[in-house]
Amino acid sequence: MAIRLVLVGPRFLFFFFLFAIAFSGAFASNGNMVTEKTLAMIKPDGLRGNYTNRIKKAIVESGFRILKEIIVELDEDRASRFYAEHSSRNFFSGLVKYMTSGPVCIMVLEKQNAIADWRAMIGPTDATKAKATHPNSIRAMCGLDSEKNCVHGSDSLQSAQREISFFFEEETGEMVGKHDEL
């Protein structure tokens, strides 16, 4: 039996190298795909409008796992601390009043690319814009405007970690962070 050497061309090696780099960070050391966690919140208008079950169904059907879930009523202090990065903005007092107007459903979601996928599902912050540009988004389905937009989603890995710990673990350190999501 003869052994045959096959030489591969530089084009094959180039694409193999790109493929290897693209997926090298996507796997944990045990070979499993790395997942992300993100915070999802159904705001008072979403709960009042009976959208909770529809939103949770869409979450699960999109491949997310709901790891933790609580329903809480935020008081003024807690809502102010959660949205502290917006405290100097003119809409802040209205936002706090809205977020304390009824219970909210807080969830920790998990899947590959969870942060970006959840943000894509919820659509633009302004629900009016979402209705025009992202008609299948959650905010198009149940949001009213840029403040009463039905849901919240972490906008970065750092925000997700901070927001998850805000609701599900002991708070440590300064809660003020930089993110653009309401």
Side-chain angles (χ1 to χ4, degrees):
M1 181 164 142
I3 297 176
R4 189 172 93 173
L5 288 174
V6 177
L7 297 176
V8 292
R11 182 176 283 168
F12 172 81
L13 289 174
F14 175 74
F15 286 111
F16 178 78
F17 182 70
L18 284 179
F19 181 80
I21 289 174
F23 287 98
S24 65
F27 292 91
S29 59
N30 62 4
N32 293 330
M33 293 294 287
V34 175
T35 59
E36 288 179 342
K37 293 178 182 142
T38 191
L39 185 106
M41 179 190 303
I42 303 174
K43 296 179 179 180
D45 55 321
L47 288 169
R48 270 194 298 274
N50 295 318
Y51 290 103
T52 305
N53 289 337
R54 286 174 62 188
I55 293 169
K56 287 168 60 175
K57 182 179 179 194
I59 288 168
V60 172
E61 287 177 350
S62 295
F64 289 94
R65 286 182 355 138
I66 301 173
L67 299 179
K68 298 178 182 181
E69 176 180 350
I70 57 172
I71 295 179
V72 298
E73 287 208 40
L74 299 175
D75 60 21
E76 188 175 324
D77 176 62
R78 199 152 191 211
S80 294
R81 285 186 293 125
F82 185 74
Y83 287 109
E85 70 276 7
H86 299 298
S87 63
S88 64
R89 312 276 303 267
N90 63 349
F91 60 80
F92 182 72
S93 63
L95 175 63
V96 170
K97 184 177 179 183
Y98 160 60
M99 292 303 296
T100 59
S101 68
V104 295
C105 177
I106 311 290
M107 295 172 281
V108 176
L109 307 182
E110 179 183 61
K111 77 177 264 194
Q112 296 168 27
N113 206 35
I115 295 165
D117 288 357
W118 176 239
R119 302 266 304 169
M121 274 184 70
I122 66 177
T125 300
D126 187 340
T128 306
K129 180 180 177 185
K131 291 175 190 311
T133 62
H134 296 77
N136 296 319
S137 69
I138 292 172
R139 286 179 171 152
M141 170 179 58
C142 58
L144 300 175
D145 53 36
S146 61
E147 182 182 280
K148 293 180 179 135
N149 56 14
C150 193
V151 288
H152 169 88
S154 305
D155 65 0
S156 69
L157 188 57
Q158 294 78 18
S159 290
Q161 291 167 344
R162 177 183 64 82
E163 293 172 356
I164 290 168
S165 71
F166 185 87
F167 287 105
F168 292 101
E169 298 171 9
E170 281 188 26
E171 296 177 39
T172 58
E174 182 64 37
M175 295 311 299
V176 178
K178 297 285 185 200
H179 66 78
D180 66 356
E181 181 56 34
L182 295 179

